[in-house]
Amino acid sequence: MKFATLKSSSPDGRLVVVSRDGARAVYASGIAATMIDAVERWEQVSPALKVLYEQLNEGTAEGSFAFNPRDCAAPLPRTYQWCDASAFLNHGRLMEKAFNTDPIPDFETIPVMYQGASDDFLGPHDDVPLPDESLGIDFEGEFGVIVGRVPMGVSPHAAQEQVRLLVQINDWSLRKLGPREMATGFGFFQCKPSTSFAPLAITPDEIGPAWSEGRVKLNLHVEWNGEWFGHPNGAQMNYSFGELIAHAARTRKLSAGTVIGSGTVSNTERAVGSACIAERRVIEIIDQGEARTGFMRFGDTVRMVAQDAQGNTPFGVVDQRVVQSSV
Amino acid sequence: MKFATLKSSSPDGRLVVVSRDGARAVYASGIAATMIDAVERWEQVSPALKVLYEQLNEGTAEGSFAFNPRDCAAPLPRTYQWCDASAFLNHGRLMEKAFNTDPIPDFETIPVMYQGASDDFLGPHDDVPLPDESLGIDFEGEFGVIVGRVPMGVSPHAAQEQVRLLVQINDWSLRKLGPREMATGFGFFQCKPSTSFAPLAITPDEIGPAWSEGRVKLNLHVEWNGEWFGHPNGAQMNYSFGELIAHAARTRKLSAGTVIGSGTVSNTERAVGSACIAERRVIEIIDQGEARTGFMRFGDTVRMVAQDAQGNTPFGVVDQRVVQSSV
């Protein structure tokens, strides 16, 4: 199944079921008014959502209309918890090498994860208001999962059973603020403004074998101002989503609608490029002695789309512009 | 005004207005069904809530009943954002001194703040399920504020205008997990299980002059297993809540219902004791060469109550027991 949230007068928007080809949509109102409602009552509502999805694909769903991703909020425009990992160790190792920082303790055996802000997610075509160009504006292409209720102390295997939906994420970062916040030990805060999402949240079966071992094994194509920036694949994630969920739930339960992110998709092969500017800069430092690529400027755009070998784009497209905030 | 949330079949509970003396309550259903609803529509609903509050105080509110704090969830049983500072620098300085760690950069001029989990807050008398006694179970007595919508880049002065309600917090910590998480730079995560709240969320006018300079200037009395542990005062907070809110909103807007915490209340005078075990242990290390006080065990209780000179307890009481989680 494929879902999206259309913007409405409510901060939670309105849930629509979207056809497999992404062309048509229909309100799920009679079944679940919002995405958070659907995820919280998943066992109860998913059979009816499935029937509606099949009707939509067959062209028999009443009240269907053309789906326009520009009308979309994030699939969950806000939720109660957002936890973002850094599960592609290649990315972390590059960062350490370039900045000559102390290695993160237990990096190979315990996932690193920060608690993010979940009160204000941006939609796939929303402008991204930020206060200052000099803060090192960067995109980060990621995959993520939306989970059901997860009990404290869950095993990675049982945790993975709680994956309800897959999502594609653009985790905005302000790189100049990061090092100071890391040095406090309190972690990322101001360096992580509102996170953005591709329009479609999908059940794992929608990508067939590309969902395996708890990973989204698709290329994530990233363009900055219309130019190729990278297309790393999700297969090289060093921890599965099951392992990441279990990490998050070690000392507390997770509520339904919790979003768990993979961290920047990153591959060891240099030829596939990167999914964030910081990583390209780090590679420049290692290979050429200094960073040559700057960060984003107001007016710049970034486009991200996960694609399979047949050219299908199961999550739709993130295409955003950075603008100066009005305050 | 005083508010509480009674547990119900909904995860958001049911909002009640509570009388000034804490004895009676009345459902606010006709005005706002839940606390998050009230905070989101504050300008619209607060006049009617005020009328109901006055009726309750005068004994004329229809349908009022005896208020039982044991029926309470946290005032916001869940919300979209929880940001906790460490705004009593005395606490941070003691920690640094005892552990001989690098000073936190800009500690005197930029607040430190971590993003906490807001999906599962505990009520004032809820048991606290935790997986393992060996993790260094600790309480932390704090004050906090619930804010309305805050724009990005707000000034501390304008930020303080967005304080809707004051709360009293018990921010549980697992101390043995903290240092490793701080060393990763990603910040607190597993070391911060679900946070607990005293039953009453109150408008600042309820404490009169004890709310001034953006601080809750009350003693916070803490007892561990029925024995005095400390009663530090909120006046020594080194940053005002306005400054903390502005810090949180530097690179993003904050949604209504965001909770901002002060961090452990801590005073320079040793005689007033501490509001968390870690601080007492640190003082023992400094004064006696080693920590003599252990952390909490399963079955232990902690009681916290803010009190004014007349013995009024405007937030009610936190009284919780630590238990082993069932998984």
Side-chain angles (χ1 to χ4, degrees), chain A residues 76-155:
Chain A
L76 281 171
R78 60 180 183 173
T79 189
Y80 299 98
Q81 179 159 238
W82 154 231
C83 308
D84 196 15
S86 181
F88 290 85
L89 301 192
N90 182 60
H91 175 75
R93 289 195 192 106
L94 282 170
M95 296 299 228
E96 280 176 13
K97 207 188 225 176
F99 297 118
N100 200 21
T101 51
D102 290 339
I104 290 178
D106 312 306
F107 196 48
E108 317 274 334
T109 50
I110 304 179
V112 286
M113 187 175 278
Y114 71 90
Q115 193 85 35
S118 59
D119 66 320
D120 175 45
F121 289 150
L122 299 179
H125 295 283
D126 286 344
D127 281 348
V128 182
L130 291 170
D132 187 345
E133 256 182 357
S134 73
L135 297 179
I137 301 169
D138 198 358
F139 47 81
E140 285 190 50
E142 307 193 3
F143 295 110
V145 297
I146 301 173
V147 300
R149 277 175 204 85
V150 178
M152 191 190 303
V154 71
S155 72

Side-chain angles (χ1 to χ4, degrees), chain A residues 11-12 40 78-81 83-86 104-106 110-120 129-131 135 151-154 174 177 180-194 246-255 258 325 327, chain B residues 11-12 40 78-81 83-86 104-106 110-120 129-131 135 151-154 174 177 180-194 246-255 258 325 327:
Chain A
D12 296 307
E40 288 181 337
R78 60 180 183 173
T79 189
Y80 299 98
Q81 179 159 238
C83 308
D84 196 15
S86 181
I104 290 178
D106 312 306
I110 304 179
V112 286
M113 187 175 278
Y114 71 90
Q115 193 85 35
S118 59
D119 66 320
D120 175 45
L130 291 170
L135 297 179
M152 191 190 303
V154 71
L174 299 170
L177 297 174
R180 200 197 66 81
E181 293 189 326
M182 292 184 87
T184 67
F186 277 54
F188 304 132
F189 194 94
Q190 292 179 336
C191 73
K192 291 291 181 183
S194 297
H247 177 82
R250 181 176 170 206
T251 60
R252 64 199 196 211
K253 62 184 178 181
L254 311 179
S255 66
T258 293
S325 63
V327 177
Chain B
D12 296 308
E40 288 180 337
R78 59 179 184 174
T79 189
Y80 299 100
Q81 181 159 239
C83 307
D84 196 15
S86 181
I104 290 178
D106 311 305
I110 305 178
V112 286
M113 187 176 277
Y114 70 90
Q115 193 87 33
S118 59
D119 67 320
D120 175 45
L130 292 170
L135 297 179
M152 190 189 304
V154 72
L174 299 170
L177 296 175
R180 200 195 66 78
E181 294 190 323
M182 292 185 87
T184 67
F186 278 54
F188 303 133
F189 194 94
Q190 291 179 336
C191 73
K192 291 290 182 185
S194 296
H247 178 83
R250 180 176 171 206
T251 60
R252 63 200 197 209
K253 61 184 178 181
L254 311 179
S255 66
T258 293
S325 64
V327 177

Side-chain angles (χ1 to χ4, degrees), chain B residues 75-272:
Chain B
L76 281 171
R78 59 179 184 174
T79 189
Y80 299 100
Q81 181 159 239
W82 154 230
C83 307
D84 196 15
S86 181
F88 290 85
L89 301 192
N90 182 61
H91 176 75
R93 289 194 192 108
L94 282 171
M95 296 299 230
E96 280 176 13
K97 209 188 223 176
F99 297 119
N100 200 19
T101 51
D102 290 340
I104 290 178
D106 311 305
F107 195 49
E108 315 274 335
T109 50
I110 305 178
V112 286
M113 187 176 277
Y114 70 90
Q115 193 87 33
S118 59
D119 67 320
D120 175 45
F121 289 149
L122 300 179
H125 295 284
D126 286 345
D127 281 348
V128 182
L130 292 170
D132 187 345
E133 255 181 359
S134 73
L135 297 179
I137 301 170
D138 198 358
F139 46 81
E140 284 189 50
E142 308 193 3
F143 295 110
V145 296
I146 300 174
V147 300
R149 277 174 204 85
V150 177
M152 190 189 304
V154 72
S155 72
H157 179 79
Q160 207 151 292
E161 299 292 309
Q162 291 305 311
V163 171
R164 296 285 173 261
L165 296 163
L166 310 179
V167 291
Q168 181 197 309
I169 299 170
N170 182 8
D171 179 44
W172 290 98
S173 290
L174 299 170
R175 299 294 185 183
K176 298 291 169 70
L177 296 175
R180 200 195 66 78
E181 294 190 323
M182 292 185 87
T184 67
F186 278 54
F188 303 133
F189 194 94
Q190 291 179 336
C191 73
K192 291 290 182 185
S194 296
T195 304
S196 305
F197 288 73
L200 300 172
I202 64 174
T203 49
D205 59 292
E206 289 291 337
I207 56 171
W211 171 250
S212 74
E213 301 176 289
R215 289 153 173 89
V216 179
K217 298 181 175 177
L218 294 174
N219 287 344
L220 183 56
H221 294 261
V222 180
E223 289 178 8
W224 176 14
N225 290 333
E227 289 183 16
W228 176 88
F229 196 82
H231 59 269
N233 191 288
Q236 286 183 19
M237 194 160 92
N238 294 69
Y239 297 100
S240 69
F241 276 109
E243 289 171 313
L244 298 182
I245 299 163
H247 178 83
R250 180 176 171 206
T251 60
R252 63 200 197 209
K253 61 184 178 181
L254 311 179
S255 66
T258 293
V259 182
I260 307 278
S262 67
T264 308
V265 178
S266 176
N267 292 172
T268 50
E269 303 81 357
R270 292 274 165 93
V272 302

